[in-house]
């Protein structure tokens, strides 16, 4: 890529306290089969040797540029990358993760073939040596080229319909997609801070989809999400109730002019149900907390005021059996039963 050419893809990599993993990530990007890319390393005032490493990578590869900024968190680092990006498309990669070498070539081909504004792919978890699981994702290519089908994808990204067994058929991560930069610029789409909202990637995707004309979902999995115990995305246990409540309420406020119908309300309620169940499960599995404290925390999650809305309007009878049992115990504030049920599930 010559210096006066617009890169096809700008890949934004927020960098913070990942000295052990950064090289694996950067090499997977430098080795992409599509060459006309730029890699933007956003040093979020990392306290380790990452700032110097970033500068060294920029000296080694002209496609790499570095932004050093005051610490503001992951979402704000992504926004700094957006402002520095000059590509036709923009992508995001967490600095402790990595990708297959043909990821962006395949995604660009799909974007160009269908004149897409966004292309989504799958997510696989890894322990660094092996793939531990493939997260739910459509197994065939999907082309969404009218408002009705875009709205359907928008809702799927929030949560599944009540009767579906899996909580979400497509992942909300912004790291498995490429986005047309012109759409981001035209509508000033930016990430919220994860310090304000617990799923900033989902809000970014929903904001983008409401302005998209064509979205493509590819069945391939290119992205390796590393289960890093020190990651800033590791669940916080304390104050989760307020975080989940506020996010649930915010979905209705933010998107009522785009998809305010019974199906949207069911999806947002299912997000809330699934998020609380997920945090309960995390509490049960957390070995640093005693049983008495775990039960207390689960009981606190049962007392969210938002459960009153779910109780009144969510079609509980349509839910898969196991989900229905967990929700019934939750609505009845049966913390001991929930603890035992989730404990039993985790032994399988």
């Amino acid at each position: 890529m010559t210096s006066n050419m617009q890169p096809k893809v700008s890949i934004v990599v927020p960098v913070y306290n990942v000295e052990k993993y950064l090289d694996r990530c950067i090499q997977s990007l430098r080795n992409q089969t599509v060459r006309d890319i730029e890699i933007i390393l956003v040093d979020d005032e990392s306290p380790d040797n990452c700032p110097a490493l970033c500068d060294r990578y920029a000296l080694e590869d002209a496609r790499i540029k570095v932004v050093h900024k005051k610490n503001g968190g992951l979402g704000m680092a992504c926004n700094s990358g957006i402002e520095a990006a000059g590509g036709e498309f923009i992508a995001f990669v967490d600095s402790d993760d990595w990708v297959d070498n043909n990821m962006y070539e395949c995604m660009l081909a799909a974007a160009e073939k269908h004149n897409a504004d966004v292309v989504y792919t799958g997510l696989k978890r890894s322990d660094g040596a092996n793939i531990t699981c493939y997260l739910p994702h459509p197994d065939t290519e999907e082309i969404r080229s009218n408002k009705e089908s875009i709205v359907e994808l928008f809702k799927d990204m929030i949560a599944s319909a009540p009767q579906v067994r899996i909580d979400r058929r497509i992942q909300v991560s912004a790291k498995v997609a490429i986005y047309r930069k012109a759409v981001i610029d035209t509508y000033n789409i930016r990430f919220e801070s994860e310090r304000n909202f617990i799923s900033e990637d989902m809000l970014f995707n929903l904001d983008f989809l409401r302005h998209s004309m064509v979205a493509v979902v590819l069945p391939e999995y290119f992205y390796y999400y590393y289960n890093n115990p020190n990651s800033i995305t590791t669940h916080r246990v304390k104050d989760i109730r307020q975080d989940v409540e506020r996010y649930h309420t915010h979905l209705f406020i933010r998107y009522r002019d785009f998809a305010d119908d019974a199906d949207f309300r069911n999806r947002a309620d299912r997000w809330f149900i699934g998020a609380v169940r997920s945090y309960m499960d995390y509490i049960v599995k957390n070995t640093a907390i005693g049983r008495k404290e775990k039960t207390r925390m689960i009981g606190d999650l049962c007392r969210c005021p938002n459960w009153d809305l779910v109780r009144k309007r969510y079609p509980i009878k349509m839910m898969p059996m196991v989900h229905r049992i967990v929700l019934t115990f939750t609505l009845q504030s049966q913390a001991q039963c929930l603890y035992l049920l989730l404990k039993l599930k985790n032994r399988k």
Side-chain angles (χ1 to χ4, degrees), residues 30-96:
R30 293 178 69 180
N31 291 330
Q32 288 297 301
T33 51
V34 59
R35 303 301 297 170
D36 49 342
I37 62 174
E38 67 173 356
I39 302 166
I40 303 171
L41 306 181
V42 183
D43 162 38
D44 196 30
E45 204 172 19
S46 185
D48 57 3
N49 198 40
C50 281
L53 289 174
C54 289
D55 290 336
R56 192 194 79 195
Y57 288 124
L59 291 174
E60 294 175 353
D61 193 325
R63 299 174 302 168
I64 296 176
K65 58 183 178 182
V66 182
V67 176
H68 295 288
K69 64 180 292 292
K70 286 288 185 181
N71 179 261
L74 180 61
M76 299 303 99
C78 287
N79 289 343
S80 293
I82 290 173
E83 290 157 13
E88 180 181 356
F89 289 88
I90 191 165
F92 304 93
V93 176
D94 283 343
S95 47
D96 48 359

Side-chain angles (χ1 to χ4, degrees), residues 104-141:
Y104 297 111
E105 181 178 20
C106 293
M107 296 171 78
L108 279 169
E112 291 169 357
K113 178 180 178 181
H114 301 289
N115 193 28
D117 292 321
V118 58
V119 179
Y120 294 104
T121 58
L123 185 70
K124 42 195 174 184
R125 289 183 181 270
S126 174
D127 60 8
N130 302 294
I131 297 171
T132 56
C133 72
Y134 290 81
L135 296 184
H137 187 72
D139 57 8
T140 58
E141 183 179 80

Side-chain angles (χ1 to χ4, degrees), residues 20 96 100 138 185 191 219 224 237 259 269 298 303:
K20 289 169 56 178
D96 48 359
D100 286 326
D185 291 342
F191 285 88
Y224 297 83
V237 175
D269 286 348
I298 290 171
R303 289 186 288 274

